[in-house]
Amino acid sequence: MDAELKTAANDLASLVEQSSRALAFTGAGLSTECGIPDFRSPGGLWTRNKPIPFDAFVTSRAARSEAWRRKFAMDESFKAAVPGRGHRALAAMVATGRLRGIVTQNIDNLHQDSGVPGERLIELHGNGTYATCLHCARRYELGWVREAFEAAGGEAPDCSACGGPVKSATISFGQAMPEAEMRRALDWSVEADLFIAIGSSLVVHPAAGLPVAAKRAGARLVILNREDTPLDGLADRVIAADIGTVLQSVVERLGIAGPG
Ligand code: NAD
């Protein structure tokens, strides 16, 4: 590890040690080392497929079928993914009380898989490992959706209870944010004394408003992301480096690194 990275990891470890209500805010960049592409890196999902907005999903079966086709095409890499160094480091920081909790934009379930308890985690954009009916909220496992989709020759299935559209339990562009999660995330943000934004381009709103709210309420803001973000000018420290490498080094310095 080069000297600049060592200094950055040292600085972040010290900030964590000095804080009593540190919060991590994570985005798709945390999971790229696990084989899940992000949206906005060069070659990321954004450059391949523009997301299907919520309105189109609700009003058009063709859009729903296309959404499920993409989802199943991606599903192998999601299913094969296991928590990376970054997830494990953050889980160790939560377990030892160094972090109050994690607010995530990710939908890949890897924070839960790394052992972060539900009450320490807020999912702002839902969870892609299951589906729900948009009308009656009935839960469906992806295996059921896939079977029905394939049996119908690639058509999106409807809810077997009420006939409503069945959608991955994630928040699409144009879909309302989950209110309770958003409120809790804002509370945690304004109560934080250290806000660490990790692997997010910080352009997706309203989630990207959280670091701003935290900073305005007095938190120190650290941004760990290999590309520039629009909030870099507001940050007390920007670490433009690989997430897994930096976070692993931070937990080593804190003396809480687990095996591997
Ligand atoms: P984003 O794709 O907009 O930004 C990711 C950022 O992470 C980029 O700026 C990139 O430079 C950086 N990055 C990637 N790998 C990195 C690494 N190893 N080290 C340091 N930096 C790295 O992601 P976002 O801001 O989270 O917004 C994307 C939206 O898409 C989110 O709302 C999320 O719900 C969804 N999404 C989720 C997943 C997932 O669950 N893993 C994957 C893709 C998209």
Side-chain angles (χ1 to χ4, degrees):
M1 188 187 288
D2 65 31
E4 208 178 313
L5 251 177
K6 268 190 193 155
T7 309
N10 267 334
D11 290 353
L12 182 50
S14 306
L15 287 172
V16 169
E17 269 173 337
Q18 290 159 24
S19 74
S20 55
R21 290 179 316 281
L23 185 65
F25 172 75
T26 62
L30 178 65
S31 299
T32 53
E33 72 169 358
C34 312
I36 300 178
D38 63 11
F39 258 159
R40 292 179 186 76
S41 281
L45 297 175
W46 192 270
T47 53
R48 286 187 252 158
N49 279 318
K50 286 270 179 282
I52 295 170
F54 183 64
D55 272 4
F57 187 94
V58 173
T59 53
S60 151
R61 184 178 301 279
R64 288 201 286 284
S65 300
E66 173 60 12
W68 280 113
R69 189 194 63 72
R70 288 184 195 175
K71 169 85 179 155
F72 295 135
M74 290 286 303
D75 208 35
E76 293 310 313
S77 52
F78 268 75
K79 272 201 296 210
V82 295
R85 292 170 301 168
H87 296 96
R88 294 197 300 272
L90 292 175
M93 288 162 73
V94 171
T96 55
R98 260 68 163 203
L99 277 182
R100 176 188 186 177
I102 301 171
V103 175
T104 191
Q105 301 173 89
N106 292 345
I107 56 160
D108 54 26
N109 212 60
L110 290 178
H111 284 302
Q112 290 93 328
D113 292 346
S114 68
V116 176
E119 69 275 13
R120 296 271 147 247
L121 178 68
I122 300 173
E123 286 180 314
L124 289 180
H125 293 163
N127 187 298
T129 62
Y130 63 97
T132 53
C133 169
L134 289 175
H135 288 175
C136 72
R138 183 177 175 150
R139 177 179 167 130
Y140 288 93
E141 301 313 317
L142 296 185
W144 179 89
V145 182
R146 189 166 197 159
E147 247 174 55
F149 175 85
E150 282 169 4
E155 276 223 346
D158 295 327
C159 175
S160 54
C162 77
V166 174
K167 183 176 177 296
S168 157
T170 53
I171 305 296
S172 298
F173 284 95
Q175 186 172 2
M177 294 289 283
E179 261 177 51
E181 282 82 354
M182 200 57 209
R183 205 174 318 117
R184 265 178 80 221
L186 189 57
D187 287 348
W188 283 11
S189 299
V190 296
E191 287 161 14
D193 54 3
L194 174 64
F195 188 107
I196 315 169
I198 301 164
S200 174
S201 56
L202 300 176
V203 297
V204 180
H205 285 271
L210 295 175
V212 179
K215 179 72 188 158
R216 281 199 187 128
R220 283 180 165 149
L221 174 61
V222 175
I223 296 178
L224 170 54
N225 203 64
R226 67 184 170 202
E227 289 178 304
D228 295 350
T229 81
L231 299 186
D232 286 359
L234 194 68
D236 298 277
R237 187 80 159 86
V238 175
I239 305 174
D242 179 62
I243 292 163
T245 309
V246 171
L247 290 182
Q248 188 179 332
S249 175
V250 167
V251 289
E252 281 165 9
R253 279 160 174 72
L254 293 171
I256 56 168

